[in-house]
Amino acid sequence: MCTPLCSQFSWHRRHLLLTLAGGAVLLAGCGREPEAPAQPQEFDAATACALDGMLLADYAGPKAQVFYAGEARPHWFCDPVEMFHALLRPEQLRPVRAAFVQDMARADWEQPRGHWFDATTGIYVAGSRRHGAMGPTLASFRTESDAAAFAARHGGKLLRYAEVTPELADLSGGAMHDSRM
């Protein structure tokens, strides 16, 4: 059971890790040529999720991609929940160059393509009635007004990137209950 001090430490540790993720890229590049800024890519029918091998094109809802330092290709995630799960794990130490999610005010929920933006600037809706690849999802939006309109229609709570907790990135449902895998 976590005490208030433990909970406070956990909160501070998570925010420190999120803050340092961007700074780690600068430190990792010391003495080397800087890497070109990462640009979002588009997935195709064969693009698989880095965590569980699910094909992104087979599932509705927002997707995510993460570029780690020293790697030219993104690691794909079939849901922002998986992206946050990967980034918020205590053992995640690889410097992150960039993370992108889809603006679900612009992308088609059933077959999302394009409309990528910097995940750290996004507004997320947790607890809505709309599901993504992993079941309950964190719907991603570029603007707070679009996220609020989505929440008014489908329920949920608005969160900024730094407000997403490891508890919200729980993967105990989703893929474990997917009969298509």
Side-chain angles (χ1 to χ4, degrees):
M1 178 163 184
C2 197
T3 65
L5 181 58
C6 172
S7 178
Q8 184 179 20
F9 173 75
S10 177
W11 183 86
H12 286 292
R13 184 173 180 273
R14 181 178 70 256
H15 282 71
L16 178 64
L17 287 172
L18 288 172
T19 303
L20 292 178
V25 173
L26 296 174
L27 292 175
C30 288
R32 289 190 252 157
E33 298 248 346
E35 290 183 82
Q39 297 298 316
Q41 297 181 13
E42 194 55 55
F43 61 91
D44 61 29
T47 304
C49 177
L51 288 184
D52 55 28
M54 293 169 60
L55 296 177
L56 274 65
D58 288 352
Y59 297 90
K63 312 295 180 234
Q65 54 184 294
V66 173
F67 288 83
Y68 292 103
E71 297 183 19
R73 298 177 147 205
H75 288 241
W76 291 98
F77 299 95
C78 55
D79 196 298
V81 171
E82 287 187 330
M83 176 194 74
F84 279 106
H85 175 78
L87 295 178
L88 295 175
R89 289 186 321 203
E91 64 272 17
Q92 168 25 40
L93 297 175
R94 293 184 290 177
V96 175
R97 284 179 36 210
F100 299 100
V101 292
Q102 292 176 297
D103 183 357
M104 297 313 291
R106 309 284 177 274
D108 177 343
W109 191 274
E110 296 305 316
Q111 295 184 341
R113 295 290 189 274
H115 306 285
W116 298 99
F117 69 96
D118 179 351
T120 65
T121 65
I123 304 294
Y124 298 87
V125 179
S128 81
R129 291 180 294 278
R130 296 293 313 255
H131 284 195
M134 302 308 298
T137 190
L138 292 166
S140 48
F141 296 91
R142 187 183 302 261
T143 69
E144 188 168 347
S145 61
D146 287 336
F150 177 88
R153 278 191 309 276
H154 304 289
K157 177 182 176 183
L158 275 60
L159 301 166
R160 298 200 179 285
Y161 181 84
E163 295 173 315
V164 176
T165 64
E167 294 77 25
L168 290 171
D170 179 21
L171 298 179
S172 62
M176 292 173 39
H177 303 290
D178 186 353
S179 62
R180 294 182 287 178
M181 288 181 51

